[in-house]
Amino acid sequence: MMWTILSAITAVITLVLVLTDNSTLAIGVALLGLVVAIYGSNREKSRREQQFRDQFHSAARIRETHDLSHIRLLRDDSEIVAVRAVRREFPGISLSDAVGLVRNL
């Protein structure tokens, strides 16, 4: 949440600088905002992945310990829908692990 707020503040400052014809400083602030947004996004992704590993350990462990019949039914209609369902149900699972989990059901 903090990274979103910092990115929004950076966007507002950049807009003000552009409107006041200070384009060089506006570009610098925009680049700084981009760096902050990327850093925050990567940090949040790492946090979610760590929570996933702490809670579920691995995609293989999910397959062993959870009833995934509802995911199998979704997969029969659409693999993409099934992968999305897995990622919603198990936040932090990587896309490749979610695809592998769905394909191995």
Side-chain angles (χ1 to χ4, degrees), residues 30-86:
L31 289 174
L32 177 65
L34 180 64
V35 169
V36 167
I38 291 170
Y39 174 76
S41 175
N42 288 339
R43 186 175 164 130
E44 178 65 20
K45 181 181 176 191
S46 295
R47 184 190 62 77
R48 281 193 316 263
E49 288 173 351
Q50 185 59 46
Q51 281 181 329
F52 170 78
R53 285 190 300 273
D54 290 346
Q55 186 174 1
F56 302 110
H57 304 289
S58 69
R61 177 104 188 251
I62 289 173
R63 198 170 34 255
E64 295 168 0
T65 60
H66 289 76
D67 176 22
L68 299 173
S69 57
H70 62 291
I71 301 294
R72 191 176 300 113
L73 291 172
L74 289 173
R75 184 203 57 197
D76 292 342
D77 290 335
S78 169
E79 191 174 272
I80 293 172
V81 172
V83 169
R84 286 182 187 154
V86 167

